[in-house]
Amino acid sequence: NAGVMQNPRHLVRRRGQEARLRCSPMKGHSHVYWYRQLPEEGLKFMVYLQKENIIDESGMPKERFSAEFPKEGPSILRIQQVVRGDSAAYFCASSPLSSRSSETQYFGPGTRLLVL
Amino acid sequence: AQTVTQSQPEMSVQEAETVTLSCTYDTSESDYYLFWYKQPPSRQMILVIRQEAYKQQNATENRFSVNFQKAAKSFSLKISDSQLGDAAMYFCAYRGGAGGTSYGKLTFGQGTILTVHP
């Protein structure tokens, strides 16, 4: 069973460009979570999605950031008009359909975004 | 809001020895889960162990065990027979149960860097 897949692993953007990060959850998982890790810090929650629904976006910046998890295809985290402060590692995690076992989140390898 | 505190920025241990990493948390919820994740230099987040708050028995996974003190809101990780491959950043994390305000999201501590000396 393949793990959580993220691509690209590394992404370089210039200020003002758009960054699009993709996440494919583990097979059978329908819950996706995005986290951001700034240098020398812990992970911070951004958004929690189920298929076609945003469940909790309390950690998302109000502007320039958006996320989706369509019925078909990967989850996408989009950052518009990137700034240097967006440079970070972005991790995606997934968990199974709701049950006690759904409480464990399994992480992808992360996307390292560098804004020049 | 829930908070997770790891008061040890760095710890070190000799190979084959035992080390304990500390974690405390603050919550008003009664149903929650606690986790330890490991982040090696590759930066991949790897689940080490989890504990359900409703379980009194401490979780154990091979050389890894926890000391869960619910009243004290303490959740420490003990690594026995430390190996060189255990060297990593370790994060303690909290997640609320279904119906709670923090359901779904993990709240992480600041992390503890563990060095293992041969």
Side-chain angles (χ1 to χ4, degrees), chain A residues 9 31 33 35 37-45 48 50 55-56 58-59 89 91 95 98-110 112, chain B residues 31-33 35 37 39-47 50 52 54 89 91 94-98 101-111 113:
Chain A
R9 296 291 303 277
H31 300 226
Y33 315 81
Y35 295 85
Q37 185 178 31
L38 295 171
E40 309 303 324
E41 294 187 12
L43 280 72
K44 296 288 195 294
F45 169 78
Y48 166 25
Q50 293 180 20
I55 306 302
D56 181 354
S58 60
F91 289 92
S95 65
S98 182
S99 70
R100 279 294 183 185
S101 65
S102 73
E103 308 306 333
T104 297
Q105 297 178 18
Y106 297 90
F107 282 79
R112 277 77 178 166
Chain B
D31 182 24
Y32 55 87
Y33 301 79
F35 305 84
Y37 281 90
Q39 188 178 45
S42 68
R43 303 197 73 182
Q44 169 82 53
M45 293 290 288
I46 302 166
L47 177 68
R50 58 171 272 169
E52 294 87 344
Y54 64 86
M89 175 81 89
F91 290 100
Y94 170 102
R95 176 175 175 168
T101 58
S102 63
Y103 177 65
K105 56 187 170 187
L106 286 167
T107 300
F108 286 88
Q110 307 91 317
I113 299 173

Side-chain angles (χ1 to χ4, degrees), chain B residues 21 23 36-37 39 45 52 54 58-60 74-75 77 90 92 95 97 111:
Chain B
L21 308 184
C23 173
W36 279 97
Y37 281 90
Q39 188 178 45
M45 293 290 288
E52 294 87 344
Y54 64 86
N58 289 325
T60 299
S74 170
F75 182 61
L77 174 69
Y90 285 81
C92 178
R95 176 175 175 168

Side-chain angles (χ1 to χ4, degrees), chain B residues 31-97:
Chain B
D31 182 24
Y32 55 87
Y33 301 79
L34 297 164
F35 305 84
W36 279 97
Y37 281 90
K38 167 184 175 181
Q39 188 178 45
S42 68
R43 303 197 73 182
Q44 169 82 53
M45 293 290 288
I46 302 166
L47 177 68
V48 175
I49 198 165
R50 58 171 272 169
Q51 174 81 43
E52 294 87 344
Y54 64 86
K55 288 186 177 179
Q56 294 184 344
Q57 186 172 6
N58 289 325
T60 299
E61 286 288 341
N62 300 315
R63 297 182 295 107
F64 299 88
S65 61
V66 300
N67 183 5
F68 174 46
Q69 301 290 326
K70 190 172 184 178
K73 296 180 181 174
S74 170
F75 182 61
S76 60
L77 174 69
K78 186 172 82 171
I79 306 174
S80 304
D81 186 25
S82 297
Q83 300 176 0
L84 295 177
D86 295 334
M89 175 81 89
Y90 285 81
F91 290 100
C92 178
Y94 170 102
R95 176 175 175 168

Side-chain angles (χ1 to χ4, degrees), chain A residues 3-8 20-27 29-34 49-53 66-78 92-94 111:
Chain A
V4 179
M5 309 289 286
Q6 289 188 250
N7 67 80
R20 190 171 294 207
L21 288 61
R22 295 175 182 77
C23 169
S24 296
M26 289 178 69
K27 186 176 181 180
H29 288 195
S30 60
H31 300 226
V32 166
Y33 315 81
W34 286 93
L49 310 107
Q50 293 180 20
K51 286 282 188 182
E52 300 184 282
N53 283 305
S66 63
E68 62 177 4
F69 188 17
K71 186 177 181 180
E72 300 291 337
S75 175
I76 305 289
L77 178 68
R78 181 189 299 175
C92 170
S94 72
T111 293

